[in-house]
Amino acid sequence: MLVLEIIGLAAAHRTDTWRAALAVLAPVILCVCVVGIFYGAVIAAILTGMQRP
């Protein structure tokens, strides 16, 4: 599905395929990074809370 979106976007906007791929994949990559940072903060908070008496 992503491949079809990339090809269609590149054809519709008459742009390079790598630019279309970046436009399609950028939101996915951004969401994964935000969720990863959130989980990292939650784990850090849990580990910090466990060290206190």
Side-chain angles (χ1 to χ4, degrees), residues 23-53:
V24 170
L25 296 176
V28 175
I29 293 170
L30 180 64
C31 287
V32 168
C33 290
V34 168
V35 169
I37 291 170
F38 176 74
Y39 279 142
V42 168
I43 290 172
I46 290 171
L47 292 177
T48 303
M50 290 176 64
Q51 291 177 355
R52 294 183 185 168

Side-chain angles (χ1 to χ4, degrees), residues 5-26:
E5 287 182 26
I6 292 169
I7 293 170
L9 188 64
H13 290 277
R14 295 185 184 112
T15 187
D16 296 330
T17 306
W18 69 269
R19 287 185 185 206
L22 185 64
V24 170
L25 296 176

